[in-house]
Amino acid sequence: MIDADVLISNGRVAAVGAGLRADHTIACDGAWVGPGFVDLHTHLREPGQEHKEDIASGARAAAAGGYTAVLAMANTSPAPDTADRVQWVLDRGEAVPDVEVATAGAVTRGRRGEELADLAAMADAGIRWFSDDGDAVATADLMRQALVILERYGAIISEHAEDASLTAGALIHEGEVSRLLGVKGMPAVAETLIIARDLLLSAETGGAVHIQHVSTAASVELIAQAKAQGLPITAEVTPHHLTFDHTELKGRNPLFKMKPPLRTEADVAAVRDALRAGIVDVVATDHAPHAPGETEEAGLASGAFGIIGLETAAAAVNTALDFDAETFFDRLSMAPARLGGFDDHGAPVTVGQPANLTVFDPAQHWTPERFVSRSRNSPFIGRPLRGRVIATVHQGRATHRIDTP
Ligand SMILES: [Zn+2]
């Protein structure tokens, strides 16, 4: 890390050094300037649930959170399960100036877990990331066939590891809090069973698997073993699993209801250590917008799973982990850009690189209250955080900036 000005011209980094002059400036004193964040797990809700978010509003929320690229998940209606449908999402994303928008293709037709989607046609259209997120790929047979096909394209299956037979009707983590509240819990083994299945299938087929939102210490152990064996396995963790444990649910606040659920204090410590060590490769938001009537007002039993995350992710990570600048930008930008194939993102700030940048002040304290996202289902509301995105630059244009105090 060096102390310097950054000059941007024609959408690229034109100079890095002391005393640079330009027509427009962003004050960055004391802040880090690094490559823009890249999110491999964003629910943009379009098509089908635009009252929660759409591609344009999600892109604006992403920019406000320091992101310059996002990868949309496939649990929309309809799901992007054909070359035409993924192209529709990419075209909508192309029209949005704030961030680069990529999309996952669904692994199975309609994400129904019955038959494979047209994986080869989507891969031929340039899709490199496939997921039935919201659900795991339903059977070992479908997962195995998909890995065989996608291995030929160097594509990755991003897996929501949840054995649905163990979690039906469950609301939160199975443990002391679920027993206290008298609600059905999701056991940790519901996550590790699917991870173990997928690691074995990856070893057999050579296909690459990315484990989404890792939440348990046992999951970390399985992933570490697979990596030690040289398997093509990567993993992500969310800011909320790095921050909260299941005791937050004692007050039955539905804003702490998500999948996978918030786990124990020991699990939080394990996923923090794993991200620090690089066993878990990246931070991903699992930004999951829901309207107020679907979350806060609905109560714990009937409230929707999931929370928004784009605008609080970087601050939450900085608050929980206190990384140095190199590790921070690696986990939020460089590693996800590499994994998701975002060639114009995640590079060190050097002359000639595309000007996709984030200015982050690691010392600034603030408290989230309002959001750019169309939804506001966030358990971070009213919680003091340390570290703030001061500005975001996409293709040389400021897509977000706040006035420094
Ligand atoms: Zn998921």
Side-chain angles (χ1 to χ4, degrees), residues 221-261:
E221 203 134 302
L222 286 172
I223 292 161
Q225 283 170 19
K227 286 190 162 190
Q229 290 165 29
L231 298 183
I233 302 300
T234 54
E236 69 185 37
V237 62
T238 72
H240 42 283
H241 290 106
L242 292 167
T243 303
F244 303 118
D245 66 44
H246 64 156
T247 60
E248 300 282 355
L249 281 142
K250 285 180 177 170
R252 304 184 71 95
N253 182 346
L255 289 178
F256 291 100
K257 180 184 177 186
M258 62 270 295
K259 283 187 173 185

Side-chain angles (χ1 to χ4, degrees), residues 40-98:
L40 295 176
H41 193 147
T42 315
H43 296 281
L44 294 175
R45 302 301 192 207
E46 183 183 353
Q49 294 191 302
E50 289 85 349
H51 67 288
K52 301 175 191 244
E53 195 82 283
D54 60 25
I55 292 170
S57 69
R60 287 193 295 274
Y67 287 86
T68 54
V70 300
L71 200 149
M73 281 295 119
N75 62 340
T76 50
S77 36
D81 58 0
T82 66
D84 285 349
R85 283 179 175 160
V86 292
Q87 195 57 51
W88 186 89
V89 177
L90 296 177
D91 289 345
R92 299 284 287 194
E94 194 72 40
V96 165
D98 303 86

Side-chain angles (χ1 to χ4, degrees), residues 41 133-134 160 212-213 286:
H41 193 147
D133 182 39
H160 169 111
Q212 298 183 328
H213 38 53
D286 196 3

Side-chain angles (χ1 to χ4, degrees), residues 154-194:
I156 296 173
I157 296 183
S158 182
E159 180 70 297
H160 169 111
E162 175 188 353
D163 184 307
S165 73
L166 287 169
T167 59
L171 303 179
I172 66 174
H173 173 64
E174 180 183 284
E176 65 196 54
V177 180
S178 68
R179 287 189 284 276
L180 182 76
L181 300 183
V183 301
K184 187 173 174 199
M186 295 177 238
V189 74
E191 179 168 317
T192 44
L193 261 183
I194 297 295

Side-chain angles (χ1 to χ4, degrees), residues 30-32 37 67 238-240 242-243 272 275-276 283 312-329 331-332 360-366 380 384-389:
W32 296 337
F37 305 142
Y67 287 86
T238 72
H240 42 283
L242 292 167
T243 303
R272 285 182 179 187
L275 183 66
R276 195 186 305 276
V283 172
T312 48
V317 170
N318 186 64
T319 303
L321 279 147
D322 207 21
F323 283 147
D324 58 29
E326 279 75 12
T327 311
F328 179 79
F329 282 103
R331 305 299 191 265
L332 282 155
F360 183 78
D361 181 349
Q364 191 178 137
H365 292 261
W366 65 294
F380 289 100
L385 294 175
R386 186 172 49 81
R388 192 166 195 190
V389 176

Side-chain angles (χ1 to χ4, degrees), residues 118-138:
D118 202 348
L119 301 178
M122 288 189 277
D124 283 333
I127 300 299
R128 287 291 174 272
W129 203 257
F130 290 84
S131 184
D132 273 358
D133 182 39
D135 299 292
V137 176

